[in-house]
Amino acid sequence: MASQTSTLPGRSASWQALVSRNLLMLSCVAVLLIIILVSLIGPWFVAGDATMVRPRMRLKAPSELAWFGTDAMGRDVFALTLEGARLSLLVGFMTAVSGGLVGTAIGLITGYFRRLDGFVMRIMDAIMAIPNILFAVAVVSLLGPSLLTIVGALVFNEIPRVVRLVRSVVLSVREEPYVHAAVGMSIPARLILIRHILPSCIAPLIVQTTYIFAAAILSEAVLGFLGVGFPRGTPTWGNVVAEGRAVFLRAPWTIIAPGMVLAITVMSVNLLGDSLRDWLDPTLSRRAKVHS
Amino acid sequence: MLRLIILRTASAVPVMLIVAVIVFLLLRLSPGDPATIMAGDAATPAEIQGLRVSMGLDQPLPLQFLAWIAGVVQGDLGQSILSRMPVSDLIADRLGPTLMLALCAIVVTVLVAVPLGALAAWRHNTWVDWVVMTLSVLGFSIPAFVVGYLLMLFFSISAGLLPVQGYVSPLVDPAAAMRHLILPSLTLALVLMALIARVTRSSLLEVLGQDFVRTAKAKGNPAFRMLWRHALPNAAVPIITVIGLGIALLISGVVVTESVFNIPGIGRLTIDAILARDYPVVQGLMLFFAFIYVGVNLLIDITYIIVDPRIRY
């Protein structure tokens, strides 16, 4: 379903296939919009302050009063999850956008100016060789947890994949006649890159940034889980889960419930990426989806 | 061919060197001084300064880097600030559990994901395909720790079938070791299975559309034989290619899985060392992980060179 390689690829497929693909895309968008909306109107949606400590309500199982139960400090896990969605989604969004922008810039330049290519690509290989999670844990714990360090560390990890993608597009597009024509008319390189080459990169870039968005949300949760995410007490999905670790045996909902919301969100983003890929560029869907 | 192999191997050297520079700079540019940590709270400024000089931390950064890299090349990764043990010994001590875990996860992945992916391709566009692909997206999307805790909840806490956490060496008690490894390997294998099933499916789909498969079918080969003998071997190359990516997933997964199941492997060692700011250990481990990643990718490329005579750089 997610990455159909039908015998008639992309737009030429039967209209039923097109409708069902767009149906998937639309339902993913709907799920994400609901999660974003609910996280924004959360304070009105759930009575009381999410971070309020209620000692008498400690570790209560899920009920109609607290849908996801309560944590070790008596806080409503559902309210915390809603609050946490904002920062987690923000981290995902910022990582996707800045990773996409920086990676595109490097990819355009290294693909077009061939002398830089060998050196830049070796650096990209090196970054890919360093385990993502460990690099992020090291950066965040050494420089101190903040939005800047967390997003920065995650962006650094994602850049090589964007660079490789953009570079591969540039390498094929730069041999097209219209680019040769532009070079022949002595149009400056930066204009050629932006006006003539960049547009070919947009479709695969959109797909790639959705995957980065999903990966960044997961990474933030793992950072929180390992105890090096945002400062304790800041509601993010990672921190909500991290607080649940100590009481998991007595109150498994403290991890399972926010974890499931996280999984649904990431899954919607991944499926959205898959359907966007099929929709925007039929030839892309023939390749295996490669992201982590 | 030999020339190609040597060239490809040589190209791994600058990559590892850049890794070393990144890892070195990352730890030197951060606030907090190893000498201060090592000297302890009671140390006077003079003692800290003495330690700094004896550790070479007063030298310019490039000299420090050269001194460090010279040791690394000779297999000396330095000494832990906390335990004063050589970093290579620390890694060797903790490698066993991680290797066992990774090995089991890889076995589980190959045994489960390749057949599932093949099944999905063979039954393309049916509910079987749909279920396998949904599970695959789910595998990519659900955090490993949630899977780990869910498995623990069902199999250890509710059913009481398996131990909750911990690690037993197979040299001490093989049966208990296996029981302790089942849930962690499943947790670690999940994202790998998602990846391999997906790639197996898409690669096989491409092969199944080719003429020789039609011929094999027309000759009356049974479906299983057709898949196993004719289609899968031809679909193997993309599957082998993603092993490189799989190694990266495996390393990240090991860190999380070892934390969930309290396994004393190198993933836990890394997190502990980072939190304790034990710089030499962190540097050594990051280099070690990067070395494994680069090494595996190198081996994959060399395999291509040997197996496929068309490959020329």
Side-chain angles (χ1 to χ4, degrees):
Chain A
M1 180 111 201
S3 71
Q4 275 179 352
T5 35
S6 59
T7 43
L8 292 167
R11 284 173 192 151
S12 56
S14 65
W15 66 270
Q16 286 104 327
L18 266 179
V19 167
S20 75
R21 255 177 223 163
N22 289 345
L23 203 67
L24 176 68
M25 183 157 63
L26 291 176
S27 41
C28 291
V29 172
V31 170
L32 289 175
L33 278 181
I34 290 172
I35 290 170
I36 292 170
L37 268 180
V38 169
S39 76
L40 289 179
I41 60 168
W44 292 278
F45 202 64
V46 180
D49 180 6
T51 49
M52 191 173 63
V53 175
R54 295 171 299 179
R56 299 179 67 182
M57 289 289 291
R58 297 182 70 233
L59 300 177
K60 291 273 188 280
S63 64
E64 61 267 39
L65 275 177
W67 291 355
F68 289 1
T70 61
D71 71 358
M73 291 192 255
R75 292 173 304 185
D76 183 346
V77 178
F78 182 63
L80 281 176
T81 306
L82 290 189
E83 287 258 340
R86 287 184 220 162
L87 207 48
S88 295
L89 291 174
L90 185 67
V91 168
F93 182 75
M94 286 176 66
T95 309
V97 171
S98 26
L101 287 177
V102 178
T104 306
I106 300 177
L108 281 176
I109 292 169
T110 187
Y112 193 77
F113 300 103
R114 306 295 299 142
R115 265 171 297 173
L116 287 169
D117 194 49
F119 180 62
V120 174
M121 290 321 284
R122 291 298 81 71
I123 295 180
M124 294 302 138
D125 289 345
I127 296 176
M128 286 185 86
I130 300 173
N132 284 358
I133 284 298
L134 293 182
F135 179 82
V137 170
V139 169
V140 174
S141 78
L142 292 174
L143 301 181
S146 69
L147 192 59
L148 186 72
T149 52
I150 290 176
V151 171
L154 298 182
V155 166
F156 187 80
N157 284 332
E158 296 294 345
I159 283 176
R161 264 182 274 278
V162 183
V163 170
R164 286 185 161 201
L165 176 79
V166 172
R167 173 177 169 273
S168 71
V169 177
V170 175
L171 286 182
S172 64
V173 171
R174 68 193 303 250
E175 302 304 331
E176 296 280 337
Y178 64 87
V179 175
H180 283 304
V183 174
M185 291 194 289
S186 59
I187 292 171
R190 85 192 135 81
L191 284 184
I192 293 179
L193 280 174
I194 292 171
R195 289 211 192 132
H196 301 288
I197 294 181
L198 185 60
S200 306
C201 305
I202 296 294
L205 262 177
I206 290 175
V207 175
Q208 187 66 27
T209 44
T210 57
Y211 294 147
I212 297 179
F213 185 84
I217 295 177
L218 273 179
S219 299
E220 187 277 321
V222 171
L223 285 181
F225 172 79
L226 293 174
V228 292
F230 286 98
R232 281 179 70 102
T234 320
T236 74
W237 284 340
N239 281 4
V240 175
V241 170
E243 304 241 341
R245 271 183 88 175
V247 295
F248 176 75
L249 292 182
R250 278 187 295 161
W253 53 84
T254 49
I255 287 186
I256 305 297
M260 283 303 162
V261 174
L262 172 66
I264 291 170
T265 309
V266 174
M267 192 165 165
S268 306
V269 178
N270 274 330
L271 284 173
L272 180 65
D274 286 350
S275 36
L276 275 176
R277 180 192 53 195
D278 294 346
W279 188 57
L280 289 171
D281 189 352
T283 55
L284 265 181
S285 65
R286 297 205 141 258
R287 280 183 227 154
K289 175 180 152 177
V290 173
H291 80 112
S292 56
Chain B
M1 189 168 82
L2 190 66
R3 202 181 69 93
L4 272 181
I5 294 175
I6 292 169
L7 272 179
R8 178 63 187 81
T9 312
S11 75
V13 175
V15 172
M16 277 311 293
L17 206 61
I18 298 171
V19 170
V21 172
I22 294 174
V23 168
F24 180 82
L25 284 182
L26 166 68
L27 295 181
R28 291 306 144 104
L29 294 180
S30 58
D33 183 336
T36 322
I37 302 166
M38 196 168 172
D41 295 334
T44 63
E47 282 170 358
I48 294 176
Q49 188 54 36
L51 207 54
R52 211 169 267 152
V53 173
S54 74
M55 290 169 73
L57 292 171
D58 57 336
Q59 303 281 325
L61 274 183
L63 281 184
Q64 285 188 39
F65 178 74
L66 284 180
W68 176 61
I69 208 75
V72 170
V73 173
Q74 296 165 42
D76 173 20
L77 290 171
Q79 209 182 33
S80 160
I81 293 177
L82 291 178
S83 66
R84 311 277 165 121
M85 275 172 66
V87 175
S88 41
D89 288 4
L90 274 177
I91 296 178
D93 281 354
R94 301 279 208 102
L95 198 55
T98 306
L99 276 182
M100 279 301 292
L101 181 60
L103 205 67
C104 291
I106 291 170
V107 170
V108 170
T109 303
V110 172
L111 287 183
V112 176
V114 174
L116 273 184
L119 195 66
W122 183 44
R123 288 271 171 259
H124 183 44
N125 277 338
T126 65
W127 65 271
V128 182
D129 187 16
W130 193 84
V131 167
V132 172
M133 287 328 285
T134 309
L135 285 178
S136 163
V137 181
L138 191 66
F140 272 121
S141 308
I142 191 162
F145 55 83
V146 173
V147 180
Y149 280 120
L150 268 177
L151 289 174
M152 210 193 281
L153 186 66
F154 287 128
F155 291 100
S156 310
I157 299 168
S158 301
L161 291 172
L162 294 166
V164 175
Q165 283 178 324
Y167 175 78
V168 176
S169 164
L171 300 175
V172 178
D173 182 351
M178 277 302 129
R179 283 162 49 81
H180 277 89
L181 273 170
I182 293 175
L183 296 185
S185 354
L186 282 177
T187 306
L188 182 57
L190 188 82
V191 68
L192 282 179
M193 289 197 276
L195 177 75
I196 301 287
R198 214 180 160 108
V199 175
T200 305
R201 173 183 172 276
S202 63
S203 165
L204 204 55
L205 272 181
E206 217 139 290
V207 173
L208 285 179
Q210 288 177 16
D211 291 346
F212 73 92
V213 173
R214 200 184 48 202
T215 311
K217 264 189 214 160
K219 279 166 61 188
N221 273 308
F224 176 79
R225 192 186 147 82
M226 195 270 295
L227 276 176
W228 185 251
R229 289 287 301 278
H230 297 278
L232 258 181
N234 286 289
V237 170
I239 304 176
I240 295 172
T241 309
V242 295
I243 292 176
L245 180 61
I247 289 296
L249 293 179
L250 202 62
I251 292 173
S252 293
V254 154
V255 176
V256 175
T257 310
E258 289 183 359
S259 281
V260 173
F261 289 98
N262 208 9
I263 295 170
I266 47 177
R268 277 273 308 284
L269 178 65
T270 318
I271 296 296
D272 292 346
I274 291 175
L275 294 180
R277 305 208 159 196
D278 198 339
Y279 291 74
V281 180
V282 179
Q283 281 176 342
L285 280 162
M286 287 222 175
L287 266 190
F288 178 73
F289 283 126
F291 184 73
I292 291 179
Y293 177 86
V294 172
V296 169
N297 280 295
L298 181 63
L299 281 180
I300 293 173
D301 285 357
I302 290 179
T303 315
Y304 284 156
I305 295 174
I306 293 173
V307 171
D308 189 344
R310 285 170 303 179
I311 290 180
R312 291 287 173 266
Y313 286 98

